[in-house]
């Protein structure tokens, strides 16, 4: 990529889906930058410092070969979309506090470690995915995330309980499969838009909660846990296509 210094009025840089190589240039002088998109190239090196880019709204560097850590996002008050998936990034996800405009964060398929940071105050958050990393620690509270539709954190090392889903009333897809979660499956009847629910391959115990207030549910997967009790009533789930609870300790009749 070329050097971009000396372009203080540059607001959009879009070079995605090419065969660009080399490292990313410094962006620190681009105070007017609102969109930076170099996704799906062959870039190496680290993500440059983003401090001071207060006009930045969308940052897309996914599907490259970037290494190093995710830089601090503090002060990026207009950041709406942050896409760093499918790289080789390591270290922890930086704090997300103060990013009130954040709508999408996609950090799938890296080598990130440490816990998922607090999502408190991210009231505009719609899509959050950090699957296929090496994250550990507990799942964050989802209280107050009334606009959240997608929460995906499968294939990590996350432990502890699944948080309450009572306030994420617009949630459609919840996927925390293949972690080390324990405790029980939370109540789901306050999530009427839920379509896909994946909690398989964990260490969950207790019964399967009632599913009778989930008219859009079509995929329920809680296989390979330590669940007990009987099967829930399913006859009101007109959209249900897949119901998977194999490899548990359920009892009773079908």
């Amino acid at each position: 990529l070329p050097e971009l210094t000396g372009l203080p009025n540059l607001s959009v840089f879009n070079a995605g889906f090419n065969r660009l190589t080399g490292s990313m240039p410094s962006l620190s002088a681009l105070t007017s930058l609102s969109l930076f998109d170099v996704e799906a190239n062959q870039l190496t090196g680290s993500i440059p410092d983003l401090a001071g880019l207060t006009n930045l709204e969308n940052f897309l560097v996914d599907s490259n070969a970037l290494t190093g850590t995710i830089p601090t996002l503090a002060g990026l008050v207009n950041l709406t979309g942050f896409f760093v998936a499918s790289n080789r990034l390591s270290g922890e996800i930086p704090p997300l506090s103060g990013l009130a405009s954040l709508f999408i964060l996609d950090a799938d398929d890296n080598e990130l470690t440490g816990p998922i940071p607090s999502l408190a105050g991210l009231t505009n958050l719609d899509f959050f995915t950090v699957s296929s990393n090496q994250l550990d620690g507990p799942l964050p509270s989802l209280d107050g995330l009334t606009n959240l539709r997608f929460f995906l954190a499968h294939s990590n090392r996350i432990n502890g309980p699944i948080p309450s889903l009572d306030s994420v009333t617009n949630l459609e897809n919840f996927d925390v499969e293949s972690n080390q979660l324990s405790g029980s499956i939370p109540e789901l009847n306050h999530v009427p838009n839920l379509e896909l629910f994946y909690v398989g391959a964990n260490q969950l115990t207790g019964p399967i909660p009632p599913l009778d207030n989930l008219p859009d549910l079509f995929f329920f997967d809680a296989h390979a846990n330590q669940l007990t009790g009987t099967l829930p009533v399913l006859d009101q789930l007109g959209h249900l296509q897949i119901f998977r609870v194999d490899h548990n300790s359920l009892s009773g009749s079908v």
Side-chain angles (χ1 to χ4, degrees), residues 50-171:
L50 303 178
L53 302 184
T54 54
N55 290 306
L56 187 63
E57 296 178 4
N58 288 286
F59 183 79
L60 301 92
V61 298
D62 45 304
S63 301
N64 281 285
L66 299 173
T67 55
T69 61
I70 299 175
T72 179
L73 304 179
L76 303 186
V77 293
N78 290 305
L79 188 65
T80 300
F82 187 74
F83 301 83
V84 295
S86 300
N87 282 289
R88 301 171 189 167
L89 299 173
S90 57
E92 297 190 3
I93 301 171
L96 304 176
S97 57
L99 304 182
S101 298
L102 190 63
F103 187 77
I104 297 177
L105 185 145
D106 183 354
D108 277 359
D109 191 22
N110 279 287
E111 300 168 12
L112 299 171
T113 55
I116 299 175
S118 171
L119 304 181
L122 304 184
T123 54
N124 288 317
L125 191 63
D126 174 270
F127 189 105
F128 183 86
T129 176
V130 291
S131 298
S132 301
N133 280 286
Q134 300 168 24
L135 299 172
D136 55 26
L139 290 171
S141 170
L142 303 182
D143 288 349
L145 304 183
T146 54
N147 290 308
L148 186 66
R149 294 188 303 130
F150 297 85
F151 184 89
L152 315 176
H154 68 77
S155 306
N156 281 287
R157 302 170 184 172
I158 300 167
N159 52 55
I162 298 174
S164 170
L165 303 180
D166 285 356
S167 69
V168 282
T169 51
N170 286 305
L171 189 67

Side-chain angles (χ1 to χ4, degrees), residues 3 15 45 50 117 143 148 185 210-211 247:
E3 291 298 320
L50 303 178
D143 288 349
L148 186 66
I185 299 175
L211 305 177
H247 294 83

